[in-house]
Amino acid sequence: MTFVLALTLGLVAALGFAGTANAAEAAASGKDLAPLNIELPQPYFGGTPLDYFSPNLEEKSFKPRDPFMAPKDATNLSKGKKVTSSDTNPKLGKLTFVTDGEKGYQNDYLLELGTGVQWVQIDLEKTAEIYAVLVWHFHAADRVYFDVVVQVSDDPEFTKGVTTIYNNDIDNSAGLGVGKDKEYIETYEGRLIDAKGAKGRYVRLYSKGNTTDDTNHYTEVEVYGK
């Protein structure tokens, strides 16, 4: 069962969301905007309460996420696309789980990578203008993943032309530079990252363990652009 967020642009304007930063940037570029149509998985009500504090931890919100405005012709470019990883022998699941469209909280949809810094990489097959990256690591319980870094590049090795669109590694423990973004608690809504039109063929997502153990997980990643 899924919960479908499909709000019309008129409704969004009526609710006062049209003035969001990403909308303003896109409007300034003369693009026709609409809220992304994001299908959310069923929420899970249970799990062990989170016992974790960090000065960089974002306060958990109990309100639905605001609609995200993007050019009207933006679509999910990552659906069914090839996924590679730093861990070629996952402990649980398959790399294809990352882009197969299944994002339920059950273990049937969960990819588990090894300990330490690990990444998954999506090949969009051609250079794209990316507006948002939506990632679900795990949402069967409250959990925080460490050193979440998301990058875009045309180089599959990520050695040149790299644009970092999210980095919450405030002490550079992952070795990718110091970030200024917040840690966050995983939920069924996933984490929506404003990519601000970054261009590239490949999207790479890093993490380094979580508040439950040192392994890394993905349920789904969606890349919206054109």
Side-chain angles (χ1 to χ4, degrees):
M1 177 180 181
T2 61
F3 294 98
V4 180
L5 285 180
L7 300 178
T8 65
L9 180 60
L11 176 59
V12 172
L15 292 173
F17 295 137
T20 56
N22 75 296
E25 290 170 3
S29 67
K31 295 172 180 172
D32 199 6
L33 303 177
L36 288 181
N37 185 8
I38 299 170
E39 293 188 3
L40 296 180
Q42 184 177 10
Y44 179 77
F45 300 101
T48 305
L50 180 65
D51 182 15
Y52 173 73
F53 172 76
S54 163
N56 195 43
L57 178 62
E58 181 179 277
E59 185 175 350
K60 185 175 182 178
S61 173
F62 294 94
K63 300 187 301 181
R65 180 172 51 226
D66 291 349
F68 185 88
M69 305 299 290
K72 292 178 67 174
D73 51 353
T75 60
N76 178 11
L77 303 175
S78 56
K79 181 73 176 292
K81 294 298 194 302
K82 182 180 179 181
V83 178
T84 54
S85 175
S86 54
D87 184 351
T88 57
N89 187 25
K91 296 178 180 298
L92 177 69
K94 302 177 181 177
L95 295 180
T96 54
F97 286 5
V98 176
T99 58
D100 66 356
E102 298 287 354
K103 43 196 145 177
Y105 59 79
Q106 299 90 341
N107 282 348
D108 293 346
Y109 311 121
L110 186 65
L111 169 69
E112 180 174 294
L113 305 178
T115 61
V117 179
Q118 300 287 352
W119 53 260
V120 295
Q121 180 172 312
I122 301 168
D123 180 0
L124 301 177
E125 299 180 352
K126 63 181 180 180
T127 301
E129 188 172 78
I130 299 169
Y131 305 111
V133 175
L134 191 53
V135 54
W136 289 262
H137 286 106
F138 178 93
H139 59 98
D142 284 350
R143 194 178 275 193
V144 175
Y145 282 79
F146 302 128
D147 300 346
V148 174
V149 180
V150 182
Q151 297 179 329
V152 175
S153 179
D154 273 329
D155 176 14
E157 303 301 322
F158 278 74
T159 58
K160 58 185 178 182
V162 176
T163 301
T164 299
I165 62 172
Y166 195 89
N167 183 349
N168 67 12
D169 179 9
I170 60 172
D171 59 2
N172 196 27
S173 55
L176 297 164
V178 174
K180 297 181 179 179
D181 293 304
K182 291 287 189 180
E183 292 181 332
Y184 59 92
I185 300 171
E186 297 282 335
T187 75
Y188 76 102
E189 286 194 311
R191 184 65 167 190
L192 194 153
I193 297 167
D194 186 350
K196 303 183 184 301
K199 294 181 179 178
R201 170 174 170 171
Y202 304 94
V203 178
R204 183 179 285 193
L205 303 97
Y206 296 84
S207 63
K208 186 184 178 185
N210 64 84
T211 47
T212 297
D213 56 41
D214 294 331
T215 59
N216 300 273
H217 303 89
Y218 290 89
T219 297
E220 189 74 10
V221 176
E222 295 179 344
V223 179
Y224 288 89
K226 63 178 185 179

